[in-house]
Amino acid sequence: LQRSRLQKDTEMLALMKLNPNSATSWDRIQARISTQSAKATNEYIPDYSYIKDAVYPPNKDGTCGYTAACLILNYWHNVEGNVIDSAFLDTKGDLLTGSDDYTLQDKLLSYGDSTSSWGLTIRDILIDYCNEYGIAATSTYYITNFDIFAEIDRGRPVIVFGYFPNDPTPVTRGKVFHAVTAYGTSTNGTLSKLIVHYGWNGYNHVILDGGLVGSSTQFVLN
């Protein structure tokens, strides 16, 4: 079978990582891949706007996993109801976010030992929250990228932990350990990428282009 231009460019980019002295421009190839990826087909879980457009407590002091957990709980609260206690909601039904508020994120942090987290940490945090508030739900975690795309196909968001671009723009080299909330996929040919909320202002719809997935947390109401 004949390879697509995108496949060839992706392979060239991988080779350049092994041979950074290549005469071919890293930025030029990566930008070309980004341009071709712009033609991709995007698909989303049902009611994805409850994640994409959510009001949420800010990510502060490395609380990205807890921020993502807030987004997940907020999603299911809006889709199914009765997930978030009224103490963590304002009069509009949005999550409290003020510095003087005791937010949902503050509550979730009270179950943990530190602000850092990975798939297992947040799974346990979500279970602790559901146990305290009498919510019937199931939460699981996995190592690497196992079952992430399948869960998105099942119509459910996933918290994804890994080593991702620290400035998720088309051309970037820096990476940071981070947690994001996946709620869709962007597919070009046979290549699929996750669409995620970074938990940062202005980065609520990011096509995750690069990085390494370390673990994930899934959550669904019973």
Side-chain angles (χ1 to χ4, degrees), residues 4 6 10 40 47 56 58 66 89 126 140 142 158 198 205 212 214:
S4 69
L6 180 58
T10 304
D47 302 307
Y56 59 96
Y66 294 88
L89 301 172
L126 290 170
T140 54
Y142 296 103
V158 183
Y198 247 62
H205 185 279
L212 296 172

Side-chain angles (χ1 to χ4, degrees), residues 40-49 51-52 75 151-157 182-186 193-196 204-207:
T41 299
N42 293 349
E43 296 184 353
Y44 303 91
I45 64 172
D47 302 307
Y48 71 95
S49 63
I51 292 177
K52 176 179 176 289
Y75 172 82
E151 183 72 349
I152 296 295
D153 288 342
R154 289 189 284 265
R156 300 195 287 255
Y183 59 87
T185 58
S186 182
K193 302 174 183 179
L194 294 172
I195 299 174
V196 304
N204 59 338
H205 185 279
V206 173
I207 296 176

